[in-house]
Amino acid sequence: MTGTTDTLSPEAKLALITRNLQEVLGEAELKTILNERDIKLYWGTAPTGKPHVGYFVPMVKIADFLKAGCHVTILMADIHAFLDNEKAPFELVTLRTKYYEQVIRSMLSSIGVPLEKLTFVVGSSYELSPEYSMDNYRLASKVSEHDAKKAGSQVVKQVAQPLLSGLLYPGMQALDEEYLKVDAQFGGVDQRKIFTFAEKHLPMIGYKKRIHLMNPMLPGLQGDKMSASDPNSKIDLLDTSKAVATKVGKAFCPENEVEGNGVLSFVKFVLFPASDQRLGSPEFVIQRPEKFGGNTVYNDFETLEQDFVAGNVHPGDLKSSVAAALNQLLEPIRQHFETPEMQQLILEAYPPPVAAPKVVKQKKKHNKRPEDGNADGAASEQTVEEKLAETHL
């Protein structure tokens, strides 16, 4: 898309903000604000498990927001991470917060996003203030247990005996919109129930409802949702180039099929937008030997999708080309984390599990017969003789 931020029309900015989104709540309000000024929005992430390549999906949207002149805040939601069923003690969450910020900065740099336009905020820097705490209590007095549980059902870890902390999570995410002074919140469509919760409950304590922008959820390598807790469904940002090629090579990518195809989805939602950001125009290259037709350059996803459905692009060629393009994005991130300082941060934030001590089985000691001459037998024999002596007439 041509034009600088200053010369883009409100309509062009709206197109950038909303492209590839699954849903927008409050689009009329978004249009009204854009006719007056640029919008302020935030994206939050709870620093729990290691981020994977699925995080490129919000990263490329953040690039779109910045191109559209948005003022973007990235919230490192450390308190939320702690509240989510105590996935980690707070000391560990603090270290993971530092790791996440380094990861996000390096990811954005790898796709050519200027970091000076971003604001990074740690949740505990304001969520522990007296004002925020009082608002949290005010909100709690308006929210039913049913509504709080429903709002967090797709985000907060669900367990048989849920903790009270999980019920606080949605309300705090709603309050973040007010305390970060934004017009909109951005997140995955899995956040929708929290977004509608915020729209309903913030006005109850005197705050306006915000706009909500939602990304689709990227399918994992096996066709399901990409998850940090499932090593078979995701590619770690620090995986070696060989590991990336292996994992993509094993991905679910049925010939001629688009539905649930995580490889094609990654091209659409990450590789095309990332190349647009880095190169100035969208581009994806199918790499193959000359005997199979040679390389083909695609400048839009729709043409690639049509060729894949028609059988003109083989799943094997698609996967090897995706692995090559992905490794190109990941290489600067790998290099960033090769320093001793970053290696130490990884070790502290994600310490290796402590191996359980090996239990050495003790050999059973079998009792010997008294005639074998052991002490127990002798004692028994002596006792019998003493008893006989006592009864002898």
Side-chain angles (χ1 to χ4, degrees):
M1 185 172 292
T2 59
T4 65
T5 297
D6 294 334
T7 61
L8 288 177
S9 66
E11 292 76 19
K13 291 180 179 181
L14 178 67
L16 263 176
I17 290 168
T18 58
R19 77 168 174 180
N20 283 343
L21 292 180
Q22 182 163 327
E23 187 175 5
V24 176
L25 297 177
E27 188 167 353
E29 176 69 8
L30 176 59
K31 291 177 180 178
T32 299
I33 295 174
L34 286 174
N35 282 325
E36 301 170 358
R37 58 173 173 83
D38 292 325
I39 70 165
K40 301 174 184 177
L41 63 85
Y42 96 89
W43 172 73
T45 182
T48 51
K50 283 186 177 181
H52 48 72
V53 296
Y55 276 63
F56 273 116
V57 179
M59 295 303 107
V60 295
K61 272 314 300 176
I62 287 171
D64 281 346
F65 297 148
L66 291 171
K67 272 187 180 180
C70 302
H71 303 280
V72 180
T73 295
I74 294 180
L75 174 65
M76 314 302 290
D78 55 344
I79 300 290
H80 293 78
F82 177 70
L83 289 176
D84 192 1
N85 202 50
E86 278 197 339
K87 288 180 178 176
F90 196 73
E91 296 74 20
L92 205 55
V93 169
T94 300
L95 290 165
R96 291 178 178 180
T97 299
K98 295 177 182 178
Y99 175 77
Y100 264 59
E101 182 170 344
Q102 289 294 324
V103 162
I104 290 168
R105 286 180 179 274
S106 61
M107 290 180 77
L108 289 169
S109 294
S110 79
I111 59 174
V113 177
L115 300 181
E116 61 272 11
K117 295 183 178 181
L118 291 167
T119 300
F120 285 83
V121 176
V122 177
S124 57
S125 67
Y126 65 89
E127 290 172 348
L128 300 178
S129 68
E131 297 79 12
Y132 188 96
S133 295
M134 192 63 231
D135 271 345
N136 208 5
Y137 294 139
R138 290 173 62 215
L139 190 60
S141 71
K142 304 289 185 182
V143 177
S144 69
E145 180 267 348
H146 172 270
D147 284 355
K149 188 174 181 181
K150 178 183 176 182
S153 62
Q154 287 188 284
V155 177
V156 179
K157 185 177 180 180
Q158 301 299 297
V159 293
Q161 297 295 326
L163 300 175
L164 178 60
S165 59
L167 300 178
L168 298 175
Y169 193 112
M172 290 180 65
Q173 187 168 334
L175 283 175
D176 290 337
E177 297 179 345
E178 175 64 25
Y179 277 77
L180 292 172
K181 303 302 178 186
V182 295
D183 305 300
Q185 183 179 173
F186 165 60
V189 73
D190 60 336
Q191 304 271 338
R192 192 182 195 281
K193 290 180 181 179
I194 289 183
F195 291 166
T196 55
F197 170 94
E199 291 186 6
K200 174 183 177 182
H201 290 93
L202 277 186
M204 291 183 181
I205 58 172
Y207 298 138
K208 67 177 182 179
K209 71 176 184 178
R210 265 63 177 191
I211 300 159
H212 293 104
L213 311 169
M214 283 168 274
N215 251 347
M217 299 307 294
L218 189 71
L221 297 180
Q222 304 307 317
D224 300 318
K225 174 185 172 183
M226 192 173 287
S227 168
S229 61
D230 181 4
N232 294 319
S233 78
K234 55 100 177 182
I235 295 171
D236 191 273
L237 292 167
L238 301 182
D239 276 346
T240 64
S241 57
K242 185 177 180 181
V244 170
T246 299
K247 288 182 178 181
V248 175
K250 294 180 179 179
F252 177 76
C253 186
E255 194 168 359
N256 312 118
E257 290 186 24
V258 175
E259 188 69 28
N261 191 321
V263 181
L264 269 179
S265 294
F266 195 81
V267 176
K268 178 180 181 179
F269 292 105
V270 175
L271 297 181
F272 267 115
S275 66
D276 190 15
Q277 176 67 28
R278 291 167 62 238
L279 306 175
S281 61
E283 179 182 292
F284 178 70
V285 182
I286 290 291
Q287 302 176 9
R288 55 192 165 196
E290 286 295 332
K291 64 179 180 180
F292 295 120
N295 294 353
T296 302
V297 178
Y298 290 91
N299 299 113
D300 64 89
F301 176 75
E302 290 72 24
T303 305
L304 171 64
E305 183 180 51
Q306 290 168 8
D307 278 359
F308 183 80
V309 172
N312 297 326
V313 174
H314 189 272
D317 295 327
L318 175 64
K319 290 193 280 189
S320 62
S321 302
V322 166
L326 178 54
N327 272 321
Q328 194 173 16
L329 289 180
L330 294 178
E331 190 54 34
I333 302 172
R334 295 187 194 112
Q335 291 177 5
H336 179 76
F337 281 93
E338 283 177 355
T339 65
E341 181 185 2
M342 290 297 102
Q343 288 294 307
Q344 184 63 30
L345 177 59
I346 295 170
L347 189 63
E348 292 176 352
Y350 297 94
V354 179
K358 291 184 179 180
V359 179
V360 179
K361 291 185 178 180
Q362 297 289 335
K363 291 183 178 180
K364 292 183 179 180
K365 294 182 179 180
H366 298 285
N367 291 330
K368 295 184 179 181
R369 294 171 60 85
E371 57 266 35
D372 292 340
N374 66 46
D376 289 342
S380 298
E381 194 174 72
Q382 185 180 15
T383 304
V384 172
E385 289 175 351
E386 288 174 354
K387 288 182 178 181
L388 287 173
E390 291 172 358
T391 59
H392 185 68
L393 295 176

